[in-house]
């Protein structure tokens, strides 16, 4: 189309202006062709132009403008760059001169259609180049921003991994502290029990010092014929008055014993009463001066109903199958659980009764202490069962999922020592960077002889999780053979996810 002869001479002024612009452009074309060092035919053959076309495009003629196409202008610029080191500024001036020439020919009153098409091609080419330049600049900037973003993402991933590591360390230390607290609780209980036993033992030893001289050589069974004499209370306020009262009681007991003995020997045939004094009813006990009743049998009767008449010493252990009598109230009580009972004798003269009360309290406390220490282990043993209410030690660890084909499952599970209705399991879910969720669940029960723990719904730990995290349904963990544990969300809803010890 560019070779078509055009009628461009509409007036003298316009003719001169077009001729000057055409001559100036053709001179630049001729100069660039010479700089390439190629002949017009070589240049035409090299880029597929027709014979004589390059010569026509570089020679100006009034009758035939023969404006070259834009493709020839671009080829000539590239050849001049490679062979003559054409500068970018000179190339841009030449290309702009070509566009101005086309605009002059299209500005005439009746422009040729070929010139209009060539001008549109030129304008579109410039627009494409401008867009390409802007696109390349944007791509280059995007590459820089992408690199910077990748650096920030790596830093964030490093911080996230560091945060996870620190959290695991905190959880491990928390678990260790829970173990230490449990051990401390056990040690405190043992210490308190031992101290209570030692206190009871020291109290018993203190009471042993106040037994009568005849009793220091052995128990009551070694002296069956001696009269029953109550032990003196520990020294304190009113000691002299209590001693006088006890002396009067001893005299009264001795008198009653002699009277009973004389009555049984003189009331009939002595052979009928040998060995049977304990089977018949005895005389009415005489009242002592302090309001307590004297024994109804003589001191020699120690085999009646298989029970010794000697009263238990305050602070001694229980007499299984026996009984203890209170001197003033006449009441009796049976103790077969490891405890003991005591009583306080009244003072007929209105004296201080604190000594008797103190003795009863001391004996009762000592017996209760011994009963507690003797009965607790048996109760604990009989109350144990196959499934306890605490997390078995096998489950207490940090676990990591092995079949990591579901991003919806927790990647890390931390099981701590806990009892029923206490927080026992922490779930940690890791999705796309930044999607970190932590949830906690309570222990519901222990089943299958300690091989399974049932867990309630896992609730979101909001301080450690974003707002989009959601709770998990109840589930259970089973011991997986030969190692690890299996996590089942709900029965019949899907496979069990296996976890192993976190490395």
């Amino acid at each position: 189309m560019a070779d078509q002869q055009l009628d461009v001479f509409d007036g003298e002024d316009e003719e001169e202006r077009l001729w000057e612009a055409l001559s100036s452009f053709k001179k630049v074309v001729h100069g660039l062709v010479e700089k390439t060092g190629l002949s017009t035919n070589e240049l035409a053959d090299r880029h597929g132009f027709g014979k004589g076309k390059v010569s026509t495009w570089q020679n100006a003629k009034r009758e035939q403008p023969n404006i070259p196409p834009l493709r020839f202008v671009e080829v000539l610029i590239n050849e001049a760059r490679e062979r003559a080191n054409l500068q970018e500024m000179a190339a841009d001036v030449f290309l702009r001169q070509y566009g101005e020439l086309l605009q002059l020919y299209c500005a005439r009153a009746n422009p040729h259609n070929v010139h209009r098409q060539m001008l549109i091609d030129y304008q579109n080419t410039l627009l494409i180049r401008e867009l390409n330049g802007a696109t390349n600049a944007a791509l280059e900037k995007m590459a820089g921003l992408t690199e910077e973003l990748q650096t920030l993402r790596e830093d964030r991933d490093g911080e996230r991994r560091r945060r996870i590591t620190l959290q695991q360390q905190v959880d491990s230390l928390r678990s260790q502290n829970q173990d230490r607290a449990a051990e401390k609780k056990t040690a405190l209980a043992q210490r308190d029990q031992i101290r209570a036993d030692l206190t009871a033992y020291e109290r018993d030893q203190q009471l042993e010092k106040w037994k009568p001289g005849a009793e220091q050589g052995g128990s009551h069974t070694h002296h069956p014929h001696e009269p029953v004499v109550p032990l003196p209370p520990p020294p304190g306020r009113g000691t002299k008055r209590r001693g006088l009262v006890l002396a009067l009681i001893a005299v009264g007991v001795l008198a009653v014993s002699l009277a009973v003995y004389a009555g049984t020997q003189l009331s009939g045939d002595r052979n009928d009463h040998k060995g049977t004094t304990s089977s018949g009813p005895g005389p009415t006990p005489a009242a002592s001066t302090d309001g307590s009743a004297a024994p109804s049998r003589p001191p020699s009767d120690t085999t009646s109903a298989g029970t010794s008449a000697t009263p238990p010493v305050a602070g001694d252990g229980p007499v299984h199958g026996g009984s203890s009598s209170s001197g003033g109230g006449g009441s009796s009580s049976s103790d077969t659980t490891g405890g003991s009972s005591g009583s306080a004798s009244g003072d007929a003269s209105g004296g201080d009764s604190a000594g008797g009360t103190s003795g009863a309290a001391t004996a009762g406390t000592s017996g209760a202490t011994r009963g507690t220490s003797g009965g607790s282990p048996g109760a604990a043993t009989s109350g144990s069962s196959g499934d306890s209410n605490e997390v078995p030690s096998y489950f207490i660890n940090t676990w990591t999922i092995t079949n990591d084909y579901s991003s919806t499952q927790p990647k890390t599970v931390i099981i701590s020592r806990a009892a029923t209705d206490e927080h026992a399991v922490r779930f940690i879910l890791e999705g796309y960077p930044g999607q970190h969720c932590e949830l906690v669940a309570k222990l519901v029960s222990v089943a299958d002889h300690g091989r399974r723990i049932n867990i309630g719904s896992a609730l979101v730990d909001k301080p450690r999780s974003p707002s989009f995290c959601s709770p998990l349904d109840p589930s259970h963990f089973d011991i997986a053979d030969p190692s690890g544990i299996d996590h089942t969300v709900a029965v019949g809803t899907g496979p069990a996810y296996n976890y192993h010890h976190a490395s």
Side-chain angles (χ1 to χ4, degrees):
M1 293 188 306
D3 296 336
Q4 183 177 355
Q5 184 175 356
L6 302 176
D7 185 11
V8 297
F9 304 104
D10 296 336
E12 294 181 359
D13 295 337
E14 188 177 38
E15 177 184 354
E16 292 299 327
R17 184 160 55 90
L18 292 176
W19 172 248
E20 290 178 0
L22 182 62
S23 299
S24 176
F25 176 75
K26 291 294 184 79
K27 288 179 181 179
V28 176
V29 172
H30 183 75
L32 291 177
V33 172
E34 290 182 349
K35 287 182 178 181
T36 60
L38 299 174
S39 64
T40 58
N41 292 332
E42 290 176 346
L43 187 61
D45 295 339
R46 189 181 184 89
H47 297 282
F49 300 116
K51 295 292 185 180
K53 290 293 184 180
V54 177
S55 178
T56 303
W57 291 333
Q58 73 177 357
N59 296 323
K61 295 183 179 180
R62 287 181 178 271
E63 297 82 4
Q64 297 178 347
N66 292 326
I67 301 175
L70 181 60
R71 190 172 73 88
F72 172 75
V73 174
E74 293 177 341
V75 166
L76 185 58
I77 290 175
N78 292 333
E79 289 289 347
R81 284 174 179 170
E82 295 178 1
R83 299 176 179 273
N85 194 20
L86 181 65
Q87 300 298 319
E88 291 296 329
M89 184 177 295
D92 292 340
V93 171
F94 175 61
L95 187 61
R96 187 167 55 252
Q97 185 179 5
Y98 174 73
E100 292 175 353
L101 179 63
L102 290 176
Q103 289 177 355
L104 288 175
Y105 275 90
C106 292
R108 295 181 303 168
N110 294 315
H112 199 282
N113 186 47
V114 173
H115 294 161
R116 285 198 298 266
Q117 296 297 326
M118 293 174 67
L119 180 60
I120 294 173
D121 182 32
Y122 170 78
Q123 292 174 345
N124 288 334
T125 302
L126 291 182
L127 179 60
I128 292 172
R129 288 186 178 183
E130 182 179 356
L131 295 176
N132 288 337
T135 301
N136 293 335
L139 291 176
E140 183 177 357
K141 188 174 182 180
M142 286 176 58
L145 294 176
T146 302
E147 183 178 359
E148 184 178 358
L149 178 62
Q150 183 65 25
T151 302
L152 295 175
R153 183 174 299 168
E154 292 176 356
D155 294 341
R156 183 180 62 184
D157 292 343
E159 292 177 357
R160 180 178 57 83
R161 287 191 295 269
R162 176 61 177 169
R163 185 167 59 251
I164 293 174
T165 302
L166 293 177
Q167 184 59 48
Q168 291 176 350
Q169 293 177 359
V170 170
D171 293 338
S172 177
L173 292 175
R174 184 180 292 111
S175 177
Q176 294 177 9
N177 286 338
Q178 292 177 354
D179 296 341
R180 295 189 184 99
E183 294 177 1
K184 179 181 177 181
K185 183 178 181 181
T186 302
L188 287 173
Q190 293 178 353
R191 188 192 66 179
D192 295 341
Q193 184 63 44
I194 291 174
R195 289 184 177 180
D197 294 342
L198 291 176
T199 302
Y201 175 77
E202 293 175 357
R203 186 184 297 112
D204 294 344
Q205 292 296 322
Q206 184 70 20
L207 292 176
E208 287 290 339
K209 296 179 180 179
W210 292 95
K211 288 183 179 180
E215 297 297 329
Q216 294 179 359
S219 63
H220 293 284
T221 58
H222 295 164
H223 309 280
H225 299 290
E226 295 180 359
V228 178
V229 180
L231 292 175
R237 188 180 63 178
T239 302
K240 294 181 179 180
R241 179 176 294 179
R242 284 194 294 273
L244 179 59
V245 171
L246 292 177
L248 293 175
I249 292 175
V251 173
V253 169
L254 182 59
V256 172
S257 299
L258 292 175
V260 172
Y261 177 75
T264 56
Q265 295 296 328
L266 300 176
S267 61
D269 188 0
R270 296 176 63 182
N271 294 332
D272 295 339
H273 297 283
K274 289 182 179 179
T276 61
T277 58
S278 62
S279 62
T284 304
S288 63
T289 58
D290 62 349
S292 62
S296 63
R297 296 183 180 86
S300 61
D301 186 7
T302 60
T303 61
S304 176
T307 304
S308 174
T310 305
V313 180
D316 288 347
V319 181
H320 296 280
S323 62
S324 60
S325 303
S326 60
S331 63
S332 63
S333 62
S334 177
D335 187 359
T336 60
T337 61
S340 64
S341 63
S343 63
S345 300
D347 193 348
S349 61
D352 187 6
S353 63
T357 305
S358 175
T362 303
T365 304
S366 176
T369 303
R370 291 190 176 188
T372 302
S373 63
S376 296
T381 303
S382 63
S384 61
S385 62
D387 295 327
S388 65
N389 62 343
E390 293 185 351
V391 176
S393 59
Y394 177 87
F395 292 91
I396 300 174
N397 212 316
T398 300
W399 306 86
T400 303
I401 194 168
T402 56
N403 45 356
D404 192 11
Y405 51 79
S406 177
S407 60
T408 61
Q409 297 303 317
K411 183 178 181 181
T412 303
V413 175
I414 302 175
I415 303 179
S416 305
R417 186 184 304 277
T420 304
D421 293 331
E422 293 182 354
H423 288 108
V425 182
R426 175 174 292 274
F427 297 98
I428 300 178
L429 289 82
E430 298 292 342
Y432 187 79
Q435 296 182 356
H436 175 84
C437 297
E438 294 193 23
L439 304 94
V440 290
K442 293 183 178 180
L443 174 67
V444 176
S445 62
V446 180
D448 195 12
H449 301 285
R451 295 180 59 87
R452 169 179 292 185
I453 57 174
N454 297 317
I455 306 299
S457 299
L459 304 180
V460 178
D461 190 351
K462 294 183 179 180
R464 299 181 179 178
S465 305
S467 59
F468 59 79
C469 297
S470 58
L472 300 178
D473 294 333
S475 59
H476 62 266
F477 289 90
D478 297 275
I479 296 178
D481 295 326
S483 64
I485 58 176
D486 288 336
H487 179 218
T488 304
V489 177
V491 177
T493 61
Y497 298 92
N498 182 257
Y499 289 79
H500 61 80
H501 286 177
S503 56

